Amino acid sequence: MATFLLAAGLAVAPRAPAKEHTAACPELAGMMARVRVGLQAASGQRLRGSSLGAYQVLHATAASMARDSAGRRCGAVGPTLSAAVARADAAPTALDASLELDRGLDDVLSLATDGQLPHDVSPPKLLPVAEAALYGDRCPDLFTLTLRLDGPREGLRGRVSAVLDDLRAHPRCAQIRRILERAAPERLGHAVDSIRLDEPDDSDSDADSGLASRCPELPLVVDRLATAIGVGAPQYNAGDAAACRHTYEETASAIASHVIPEGRCPTVRTLLAAGLARAKGAADDREAAWDLRHSFDAILSDEPGPSP
């Protein structure tokens, strides 16, 4: 079960064999690994005292899994996660929202292992975790403000202006107001992400450290890399180093371009870019495949494999 098993009571669904949720869902094994990494990352955010950081990790994990299991291909998995994301989006605080996502992910684990939603669960337990480690001081509606700042890049300036107008009219959240007012136009997205992710805003440098830094999408990155290795390693071992190289290059490029939003996961981006650059200058496909695999292993640091 989830590291934070905090589910509220649910009506028990009719029992269904677990295979009904896996037979037509080849992505499910990878998604379960995604849940594990997501719960670990959320635990780290909670240990530093940030329900907002935990929410961002869990939301990115649950939303990506809901997209990947759209429709009924994975049985009740997609609808269960979509419902959890909707509940989280309607929650009044980051703590409440993160608990709703815990509940949804735990439900999915039960579907994958038992073939049914959990039953006889306790009422939700509120953890002694603050809303935010950095931006919660005198900011009672912090979570609502972060949701208002969320959205496509093209509308960012208008959303920031609306939030600033509100904060000036009803003074509160001085740290947030200061960061948004001082952000240069080219750094506005970085400043907003700092608030949404509850991470320091360094306007002079992007030198973030650690894989999880500014990277709630890390569970999805790990899943994509593990899937690529599952395809590429057999290709390499069968003597087709060119196919392996292509698999790894396509995965690294796709993660940097499509999986990670702009400005997110700087350490992951650096590692993938280094692998792609080394592969480009490699003497042959075998060397290039290994160059990329070494970058993957630097991200999957606890799951290195014996072949590229």
Side-chain angles (χ1 to χ4, degrees):
M1 291 298 171
T3 302
F4 290 89
L5 179 53
L6 302 161
L10 280 179
V12 179
R15 183 171 181 82
K19 65 181 181 181
E20 290 187 12
H21 300 285
T22 59
C25 186
E27 308 92 345
L28 192 62
M31 288 196 288
M32 292 305 99
R34 204 181 308 175
V35 170
R36 176 180 59 80
V37 176
L39 291 172
Q40 289 174 344
S43 176
Q45 294 289 345
R46 284 167 167 148
L47 286 173
R48 76 179 182 94
S50 179
S51 289
L52 184 57
Y55 160 79
Q56 291 290 351
V57 172
L58 294 170
H59 189 277
T61 302
S64 68
M65 291 173 62
R67 289 193 300 270
D68 289 351
S69 57
R72 305 296 297 192
R73 188 174 71 256
C74 296
V77 170
T80 297
L81 288 169
S82 295
V85 170
R87 292 195 306 269
D89 290 344
T93 68
L95 175 56
D96 292 323
S98 67
L99 297 185
E100 291 292 357
L101 293 167
D102 274 324
R103 170 184 167 184
L105 291 172
D106 188 68
D107 287 349
V108 168
L109 288 175
S110 291
L111 286 170
T113 58
D114 303 330
Q116 64 178 5
L117 294 171
H119 55 86
D120 297 329
V121 294
S122 302
K125 177 182 177 183
L126 295 181
L127 296 171
V129 180
E131 278 290 282
L134 299 179
Y135 304 116
D137 186 40
R138 298 183 182 183
C139 192
D141 57 339
L142 171 64
F143 182 58
T144 301
L145 290 177
T146 63
L147 294 181
R148 291 173 61 186
L149 289 170
D150 192 15
R153 290 282 174 174
E154 55 267 22
L156 179 63
R157 191 164 301 185
R159 295 194 301 275
V160 169
S161 295
V163 167
L164 282 174
D165 287 345
D166 181 13
L167 295 180
R168 291 165 184 148
H170 308 282
R172 64 196 190 283
C173 309
Q175 289 174 288
I176 292 177
R177 176 177 170 179
R178 182 166 57 250
I179 288 175
L180 295 178
E181 287 179 335
R182 293 180 179 180
E186 67 276 9
R187 299 286 297 183
L188 189 58
H190 187 277
V192 167
D193 257 359
S194 298
I195 295 166
R196 294 181 59 237
L197 302 177
D198 191 28
E199 300 207 22
D201 182 57
D202 184 351
S203 297
D204 299 320
S205 173
D206 282 316
D208 300 283
S209 60
L211 286 171
S213 177
R214 308 182 79 88
C215 193
E217 295 82 14
L218 184 60
L220 180 55
V221 171
V222 168
D223 182 12
R224 295 293 176 86
L225 292 180
T227 298
I229 291 171
V231 174
Q235 292 172 328
Y236 185 96
N237 292 336
D240 196 347
C244 177
R245 173 184 185 171
H246 178 73
T247 296
Y248 290 172
E249 284 179 333
E250 288 289 303
T251 298
S253 297
I255 288 173
S257 300
H258 305 300
V259 174
I260 304 173
E262 181 182 351
R264 297 279 182 89
C265 308
T267 303
V268 171
R269 286 184 181 278
T270 297
L271 289 168
L272 293 178
L276 286 167
R278 290 194 302 269
K280 186 176 181 180
D284 54 35
D285 290 327
R286 291 172 61 88
E287 180 181 332
W290 273 111
D291 286 334
L292 288 158
R293 176 61 190 269
H294 290 323
S295 287
F296 290 6
D297 282 347
I299 299 170
L300 302 169
S301 56
D302 61 339
E303 299 178 20
S307 57

